């Protein structure tokens, strides 16, 4: 059993649940129209929102089958960093408790993805 299996399953579940529900409750379109378009991405907000969420679905699948993990991780980390910059940073660190909608959750996902991508650390990979 691969040492990253549990982390890959956990991240895949998070990415899927964060994406799939928005596909059925108009959340992705709302994110594109009501947020991305409003902060300067018009007229591409809906396209960007769907691209982000579909990339999460693809990344989840790739994590589960343990293929193309690094490219999936890099794309997802980029999206998470942009989420911190555009959405979460202004709300502070805490997701709940000491604040609301902060950066801590994205930070944790980034670190977990890096641990999955580099299970032996950053030393030379074979």
């Amino acid at each position: 059993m691969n040492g990253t299996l549990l982390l890959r399953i956990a991240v895949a579940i998070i990415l899927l649940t964060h994406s799939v529900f928005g596909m059925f409750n108009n959340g992705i379109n709302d994110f594109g129209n009501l947020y991305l378009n409003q902060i300067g991405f018009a007229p591409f907000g809906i396209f960007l929102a769907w691209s982000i969420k579909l990339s999460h679905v693809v990344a989840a699948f790739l994590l589960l089958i343990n293929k193309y993990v690094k490219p999936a991780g890099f794309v997802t980390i980029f999206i998470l960093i942009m989420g911190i910059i555009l959405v979460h940073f202004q709300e502070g660190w805490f997701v709940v408790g000491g604040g609301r909608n902060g950066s801590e959750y994205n930070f944790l996902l980034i670190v977990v993805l890096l641990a999955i991508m580099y299970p032996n650390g950053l030393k030379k990979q074979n």
Side-chain angles (χ1 to χ4, degrees), residues 4 23 26 50 72 82-83 99:
T4 63
M23 293 176 183
N26 209 39
W50 276 95
M82 293 308 296

Side-chain angles (χ1 to χ4, degrees), residues 18 31 35 39 53 56 79-96 99-107 109-110:
H18 195 67
F31 178 60
Y35 183 72
I39 64 166
K53 296 308 178 178
H56 287 347
I79 291 168
L80 292 168
I81 289 171
M82 293 308 296
I84 289 171
I85 293 168
L86 295 173
V87 178
H88 303 290
F89 185 77
Q90 65 192 9
E91 301 293 335
W93 178 254
F94 297 103
V95 174
V96 296
R100 185 191 158 302
N101 205 25
S103 303
E104 67 180 330
Y105 192 64
N106 280 30
F107 174 78
L109 284 173
I110 290 167

Side-chain angles (χ1 to χ4, degrees), residues 5 46 95 122:
L5 178 64
I46 291 178
V95 174
L122 293 177

Side-chain angles (χ1 to χ4, degrees), residues 25-122:
N25 71 2
N26 209 39
I28 296 173
N29 290 334
D30 286 348
F31 178 60
N33 273 324
L34 303 177
Y35 183 72
L36 292 175
N37 279 342
Q38 302 307 311
I39 64 166
F41 290 98
F44 304 107
I46 291 178
F47 173 78
L48 285 172
W50 276 95
S51 297
I52 290 165
K53 296 308 178 178
L54 290 173
S55 79
H56 287 347
V57 172
V58 170
F61 176 73
L62 293 173
L63 288 169
L64 289 173
I65 65 170
N66 202 26
K67 300 288 183 194
Y68 304 105
V69 169
K70 284 184 183 173
F74 285 127
V75 169
T76 305
I77 288 170
F78 174 76
I79 291 168
L80 292 168
I81 289 171
M82 293 308 296
I84 289 171
I85 293 168
L86 295 173
V87 178
H88 303 290
F89 185 77
Q90 65 192 9
E91 301 293 335
W93 178 254
F94 297 103
V95 174
V96 296
R100 185 191 158 302
N101 205 25
S103 303
E104 67 180 330
Y105 192 64
N106 280 30
F107 174 78
L108 178 61
L109 284 173
I110 290 167
V111 172
V112 170
L113 283 165
L114 288 170
I116 292 168
M117 294 163 59
Y118 299 98
N120 299 316
L122 293 177

